[in-house]
Amino acid sequence: MKIGLIGLGRMGGNIARRLMRDGHETVVFDVSADARATLAKDGSQAVDSVEALVQALPSPKAVWVMLPAGEITEATIQQLAGLMGKDDIIIDGGNTFYKDDARRGKELAQKGIHYVDVGTSGGVWGLDRGYCMMIGGDKPTVDHLDPIFKTLAPGAGDIPRTEDREGRDPRVENGYMHAGPAGAGHFVKMIHNGIEYGMMQSFAEGFDILKNRNASFLPEHERYDLDMADIAEVWRRGSVVSSWLLDLTASALAKGSELDNYSGYVNDSGEGRWTVNAAIEEAVPAEVLTSALFARFRSRQDHTYAERLLSAMRMGFGGHIEGRGTPPKEGEHS
């Protein structure tokens, strides 16, 4: 397929590269001329405006927007809506608030434009590992885009098949799913990120307890000088808590168990807040996820070993720099 891509940051650029690696054509735009030039060297058709990008695509046109959630994404989609026509497709692969997806899907449908939201997980590793995708939109449009999603997905790999899945959607086993109508993809991704907060917090607190077992106020015969890096490594191998987050933890600790490169200031992307708000709307108790979110707020005042480990994990999977950016608030994001 030939697809347009707007936003060539940490994930957008690699999405274009993974698509081209499998034979797709990409037309790309970014406000950074350097980013455009880099992708042009890699084989993309780089253009210097959104208008030029739309004009370069065959009909039905498909444009993937990979920008930070907020005003920039809203403005870009509104601009595209004015340039695209009946049966064209706008895809939002950023971390957009699902209620905004539902609104956009309804508004664009009135113009005959299809809207697809893609909750995209894979971070800076997606070029090689692939991207796990949770997709919202109407079924014919999602099916039309399947060659794109199949290329970006990680594939089945060597993960053992789950029993009793016969007759179910085979795309799921390849790392992507059609979750439902517009907004459903980002809703599932939002809850994914909320769960991620809880998992990260549990690792961080557990290692903090291990780290402090040698405290001077404990009885001497109950003190243990434990090796954090070795504990993380042994847990990776056959334990019930083995996971990619534990892999990233082990990697960070192997570089230095004191985590001196991290202050412990932990941002939140906004999706943890949206997850807690959804739980409130549904009257669903979510004590662990809520506590994990509040722990990130606390980290900005009092940095512990646990918070330094959280920062290390965020750097590992997403390249997130400590203290960068302000998370969007409901009513202030797109």
Side-chain angles (χ1 to χ4, degrees):
M1 297 183 70
K2 189 172 185 178
I3 187 170
L5 189 72
I6 299 175
L8 306 175
R10 285 193 301 255
M11 291 179 68
N14 281 343
I15 285 174
R17 293 181 181 95
R18 189 171 173 91
L19 289 172
M20 290 187 292
R21 197 165 66 182
D22 200 35
H24 299 283
E25 297 179 68
T26 60
V27 183
V28 300
F29 171 73
D30 191 281
V31 293
S32 167
D34 289 342
R36 298 197 302 267
T38 298
L39 262 294
K41 290 179 182 177
D42 291 337
S44 287
Q45 178 184 346
V47 295
D48 59 6
S49 70
V50 173
E51 291 84 356
L53 181 141
V54 172
Q55 291 172 6
L57 295 171
S59 294
K61 304 174 189 293
V63 179
W64 185 303
V65 179
M66 201 66 185
L67 297 169
E71 293 181 6
I72 186 172
T73 293
E74 182 71 22
T76 301
I77 290 176
Q78 291 302 322
Q79 183 181 10
L80 286 170
L83 297 169
M84 299 173 75
K86 189 175 185 298
D87 293 329
D88 288 343
I89 306 165
I90 297 175
I91 308 160
D92 179 7
N95 285 331
T96 291
F97 187 48
Y98 72 97
K99 291 187 178 182
D100 290 320
D101 291 312
R103 169 181 56 80
R104 289 178 190 155
K106 184 177 180 180
E107 292 172 352
L108 292 171
Q110 295 173 355
K111 300 181 179 181
I113 299 173
H114 302 283
Y115 180 79
V116 174
D117 60 289
V118 183
T120 311
S121 182
V124 296
W125 300 84
L127 176 60
D128 295 319
R129 289 173 57 105
Y131 300 91
C132 175
M133 291 169 290
M134 299 132 269
I135 305 160
D138 65 87
K139 187 178 185 303
T141 302
V142 173
D143 290 347
H144 171 74
L145 294 169
D146 190 74
I148 296 295
F149 298 136
K150 185 176 182 180
T151 288
L152 293 175
D158 58 1
I159 298 174
R161 294 196 68 189
T162 301
E163 294 182 4
D164 302 321
R165 280 200 56 86
E166 291 75 13
R168 303 183 70 88
D169 189 343
R171 294 174 295 184
V172 173
E173 293 181 293
N174 286 294
Y176 66 111
M177 70 173 295
H178 181 203
H186 277 141
F187 184 81
V188 175
K189 175 56 161 53
M190 177 184 79
I191 303 304
H192 162 283
N193 280 28
I195 293 170
E196 175 189 292
Y197 280 32
M199 292 176 66
M200 291 173 68
Q201 188 66 31
S202 66
F203 276 126
E205 292 178 7
F207 277 93
D208 207 1
I209 296 168
L210 291 167
K211 177 71 173 173
N212 284 285
R213 195 59 220 177
N214 202 29
S216 60
F217 57 80
L218 294 173
E220 187 172 355
H221 66 287
E222 294 180 3
R223 298 177 200 165
Y224 310 127
D225 187 12
L226 301 169
D227 190 309
M228 300 297 102
D230 282 357
I231 292 170
E233 189 63 31
V234 76
W235 282 357
R236 292 181 63 218
R237 304 175 185 279
S239 86
V240 296
V241 297
S242 58
S243 63
W244 188 31
L245 285 175
L246 183 58
D247 293 346
L248 296 172
T249 299
S251 178
L253 291 172
K255 293 178 176 66
S257 292
E258 295 302 318
L259 302 173
D260 293 331
N261 292 335
Y262 300 93
S263 71
Y265 185 107
V266 187
N267 273 324
D268 66 288
S269 64
E271 288 171 300
R273 303 181 190 211
W274 301 342
T275 297
V276 170
N277 288 341
I280 293 170
E281 287 181 351
E282 300 165 20
V284 173
E287 298 96 330
V288 172
L289 305 190
T290 303
S291 295
L293 174 64
F294 287 171
R296 295 195 176 197
F297 297 163
R298 185 200 61 218
S299 77
R300 298 160 203 174
Q301 301 171 354
D302 180 24
H303 310 322
T304 66
Y305 185 82
E307 269 94 45
R308 294 202 298 277
L309 191 55
L310 284 175
S311 283
M313 281 186 270
R314 291 187 87 237
M315 172 62 79
F317 66 73
H320 300 291
I321 307 299
E322 290 180 323
R324 292 280 183 87
T326 301
K329 300 177 183 178
E330 241 179 281
E332 295 182 356
H333 48 69
S334 68

